[in-house]
Amino acid sequence: MFSQTVEYALRAVCFLAGQAPEARTTDQIATATRVPKAYLSKVLQGLSRGGIVHSQRGLGGGITLVKTPDQLTVLEVVNAVDPICRIQECPLGLAAHGVRLCPLHKRMDNALAQVEASFRESTLAEILAEPSESIPLCDFPMPHNEAEVCADPC
Amino acid sequence: MFSQTVEYALRAVCFLAGQAPEARTTDQIATATRVPKAYLSKVLQGLSRGGIVHSQRGLGGGITLVKTPDQLTVLEVVNAVDPICRIQECPLGLAAHGVRLCPLHKRMDNALAQVEASFRESTLAEILAEPSESIPLCDFPMPHNEAEVCADPC
DNA sequence: TGATAATTGGACAAACACGTCCAGTTAACA
DNA sequence: TGTTAACTGGACGTGTTTGTCCAATTATCA
């Protein structure tokens, strides 16, 4: 139900959060997160336009997070690349329904609201800090800053 | 975040639930739910293959629900046409993660689980019975069985 | 200033979602 | 049996998502 673009964006941001405040190149992110490099660059452009990451051209450049991991939520990342669109009004355009949704669409919107809420409550810092047998993006237990193979909170 | 197909399927099923146990033709459903008729027929085929509706060819034929509205959940309808796929294993295919998801994918899967749960708890009968200013699929308050303009729980 | 490393943007392509159209099939009814 | 109503299946068209490739641009460093 989540698009590939959302999946890729979250992987990239998780990797960057683990490396923060260091900049990482698209190549490094692609390798660590196992996302096709050329497509990742498009996703990162979206994150850049959405104010989630900052990109620096030229030698020594790369991508950095705009916010610190504890200030950045999953919802912000998702909304930057593939916004969660709540159901604002009757999809059938029925005049009588207006702003008040019918029971069906109210339930669908409630489901969206739940997703929105749980994504709003998750910060990247929390995700990185959570004790788990699986370290985000890493295929093995690893120390901070050796991110060659480790980058996606998978 | 929900596909058009899911939206259309739910409208159709809501309409049928309101008319149950009477059969309704694709034409009637399309008009009431404001779904493109030709495409609706494809969606109904999916619902038929998924065991949600029964279709009867020939004069006097049409579409009926297989279950009664109180036995049919929103989740069953959704899964018949566009299944909610929980995250079963690490999308990166990291061996070390195996069945245990990392914190990121655990959160994404939790969001899916919430949607699944709230859809599983909603029956069509509940949706139709819910007191609301907006009657599903109807542009005005209307009695049962005058469904020309009313069919989608919007 | 020249070489190198990096992002950017546009053109392109494949797969899928959404939607249309129509000939074929099935069933009821007179 | 013939006519009419209704679903079925396939072919097709269009737009979006996902993905690739490459020339242009920007920035660092010697």
Side-chain angles (χ1 to χ4, degrees):
Chain A
M1 206 164 67
F2 301 114
S3 67
Q4 273 305 105
T5 301
V6 160
E7 164 77 25
Y8 291 166
L10 287 172
R11 287 191 206 173
V13 168
C14 277
F15 175 63
L16 288 172
Q19 306 291 312
E22 301 296 313
R24 289 293 177 252
T25 69
T26 302
D27 254 331
Q28 289 175 318
I29 303 172
T31 301
T33 59
R34 308 198 177 185
V35 173
K37 177 189 161 186
Y39 190 64
L40 177 63
S41 75
K42 303 294 184 192
V43 176
L44 289 173
Q45 281 179 38
L47 289 175
S48 177
R49 292 195 193 95
I52 304 299
V53 303
H54 169 74
S55 62
Q56 179 68 30
R57 285 183 165 189
L59 214 173
I63 314 286
T64 49
L65 290 183
V66 167
K67 294 184 176 185
T68 57
D70 63 304
Q71 291 172 329
L72 182 60
T73 68
V74 170
L75 182 62
E76 291 174 285
V77 176
V78 170
N79 279 341
V81 294
D82 195 0
I84 292 180
C85 282
R86 296 285 301 279
I87 302 176
Q88 308 278 1
E89 57 180 32
C90 173
L92 283 83
L94 298 183
H97 291 197
V99 175
R100 297 209 179 259
L101 298 180
C102 76
L104 170 61
H105 289 118
K106 207 178 297 173
R107 276 166 177 73
M108 294 175 69
D109 185 56
N110 276 345
L112 292 177
Q114 283 178 16
V115 173
E116 212 179 29
S118 69
F119 280 180
R120 185 181 292 114
E121 287 159 15
S122 287
T123 68
L124 271 292
E126 268 174 28
I127 290 177
L128 291 184
E130 182 165 314
S132 164
E133 294 181 16
S134 303
I135 300 175
L137 301 165
C138 294
D139 210 353
F140 48 84
M142 72 181 282
H144 177 272
N145 248 351
E146 296 188 13
E148 246 59 44
V149 207
C150 280
D152 173 48
C154 169
Chain B
M1 207 164 62
F2 301 114
S3 68
Q4 273 306 105
T5 301
V6 160
E7 165 77 25
Y8 292 165
L10 287 172
R11 287 192 206 173
V13 168
C14 277
F15 174 64
L16 289 171
Q19 306 290 311
E22 302 297 313
R24 289 293 177 253
T25 67
T26 302
D27 255 331
Q28 290 175 316
I29 304 173
T31 301
T33 59
R34 310 198 176 184
V35 173
K37 179 189 160 186
Y39 190 64
L40 177 63
S41 74
K42 301 297 183 191
V43 176
L44 290 172
Q45 280 180 38
L47 289 174
S48 177
R49 292 197 193 94
I52 304 298
V53 303
H54 170 75
S55 62
Q56 180 67 30
R57 285 182 167 190
L59 213 171
I63 313 287
T64 49
L65 290 184
V66 169
K67 294 186 175 183
T68 57
D70 63 305
Q71 292 170 329
L72 182 58
T73 67
V74 170
L75 182 63
E76 291 174 284
V77 177
V78 170
N79 278 342
V81 293
D82 195 1
I84 292 179
C85 282
R86 296 285 300 279
I87 302 175
Q88 308 277 0
E89 56 180 31
C90 174
L92 283 83
L94 299 182
H97 292 196
V99 174
R100 298 208 178 259
L101 298 180
C102 76
L104 170 61
H105 289 118
K106 207 178 297 173
R107 277 165 176 74
M108 295 175 71
D109 185 56
N110 277 345
L112 292 176
Q114 284 179 12
V115 172
E116 212 179 29
S118 68
F119 281 179
R120 185 182 291 114
E121 286 159 14
S122 287
T123 70
L124 271 292
E126 270 175 27
I127 288 178
L128 292 183
E130 183 165 316
S132 164
E133 295 180 16
S134 304
I135 300 176
L137 300 165
C138 294
D139 210 353
F140 49 83
M142 70 181 285
H144 177 271
N145 248 353
E146 296 187 15
E148 248 58 44
V149 208
C150 279
D152 172 50
C154 168

